[in-house]
Amino acid sequence: MNYDLIVIGEGISGLTCARQATRAGLKVATIESTLFGGLVLNVNELDGYPGADSGTNFASELMQSNAEAGVTSIQEEVTTVRSAGSGFEVATKVDKHGARQVVIASGARLKKLGVPGEKEFEGKGVSSCADCDAPMYQNEEVIVVGGGDSALQEALVLAQFCSKVHVAHRGDKLRAQKHLVDHVGAQPKISFMWKTTVEAILGGKMVEKVRVKRDGKSEDMVCAGVFAYVGLEPNAAFAPEAIARDERGHLKTNATFETSMAGVHAIGAVRAGYSGLLRDAAVEAQRVAEAVAKRLK
């Protein structure tokens, strides 16, 4: 099956791009290997995006709108993208799909701590979604790792259920927005551990302790859960090696969001220079859809 445009990723930027391109008269497919919506599904209350409440509802509305508009949703994992004649071939673990243009909107994933016990206790006390799992830690102590917006947002959610939320941050000041810092400061259940790193996650069947290092000394802290928000890394392993990347692996684009491979575009969190704001992801998606439609027509 050949399309005018294949959008890789069904996060907010990908879904928005597909919707706009379809409205412009293009034949469009989106490809996603996991659940649609991306990281926004972990956000219970969207901050600073008018007209949207929860991440799940917002993504679901976009997905439904796309289905009604005729966007083809392909649930497969992309392995490679390569030039093929005057267009492109997007290969997955299941099939090959042709397109005249490609938009990479595969987003980013949460970085792992990379410490002993993290993988072993995934789903057994190690989590990346407070909105999903916080009720499981009623009256328990948990540790949130990080100092940015996501870390503080999740700490606030956890504080509604937990007896104590310890925020471990390797620095001595927060990177989060001021209003979040103020909200956290007013929550008595949340405390900070400055210049602190996690060395290991310990337990039996479930998480029981976390080994942290601060002031040059290691100590074990009793806790029932660990929530890490230490940054993101782009989902770009499948992208052609010929596409230029920055030092962190994000795809470089020009002012119109086209990569160094003509006809392949990148938007959202996979792109170098992305602001991190949801509304900007939507703006990028609309601009790319309009540019692609204009080029193909």
Side-chain angles (χ1 to χ4, degrees), residues 58-249:
F58 185 36
S60 296
E61 290 170 3
L62 279 174
M63 194 69 180
Q64 181 63 31
S65 175
N66 284 3
E68 293 172 354
V71 176
T72 300
S73 176
I74 302 170
Q75 302 304 301
E76 297 169 9
E77 181 179 350
V78 174
T79 54
T80 58
V81 177
R82 70 177 186 87
S83 298
S86 60
F88 300 91
E89 179 187 88
V90 179
T92 71
K93 289 186 174 181
V94 178
D95 206 347
K96 295 178 180 179
H97 309 276
R100 297 169 68 191
Q101 298 268 290
V102 173
V103 171
I104 299 175
S106 48
R109 57 186 176 272
L110 290 169
K111 286 183 179 179
K112 300 294 186 181
L113 294 173
V115 300
E118 182 177 29
K119 183 176 180 180
E120 292 82 350
F121 289 107
E122 182 73 39
K124 301 176 183 178
V126 172
S127 173
S128 58
C129 182
D131 285 307
C132 313
D133 298 337
M136 297 169 55
Y137 299 94
Q138 189 80 39
N139 300 321
E140 300 273 12
E141 292 194 27
V142 298
I143 290 180
V144 172
V145 187
D149 287 356
S150 295
L152 297 199
Q153 286 172 336
E154 301 301 88
L156 287 167
V157 172
L158 289 162
Q160 299 175 36
F161 300 90
C162 302
S163 60
K164 192 71 176 179
V165 180
H166 305 277
V167 179
H169 182 37
R170 63 183 179 182
D172 57 5
K173 60 181 180 180
L174 299 170
R175 306 185 306 274
Q177 298 177 67
K178 185 179 184 301
H179 76 277
L180 288 172
V181 175
D182 292 341
H183 287 166
V184 167
Q187 172 52 261
K189 290 185 178 181
I190 300 176
S191 65
F192 288 92
M193 300 185 294
W194 305 108
K195 296 183 179 180
T196 301
T197 57
V198 172
E199 294 186 314
I201 300 171
L202 312 169
K205 293 182 178 180
M206 302 289 288
V207 170
E208 297 173 0
K209 298 178 181 179
V210 170
R211 182 164 298 151
V212 299
K213 186 174 184 179
R214 51 180 170 172
D215 298 326
K217 297 180 180 179
S218 297
E219 61 178 293
D220 290 352
M221 294 184 60
V222 174
C223 73
V226 181
F227 295 75
Y229 303 95
V230 292
L232 300 171
E233 53 190 7
N235 290 318
F238 63 85
E241 292 183 4
I243 293 179
R245 291 162 166 80
D246 68 8
E247 65 279 0
R248 295 185 296 171

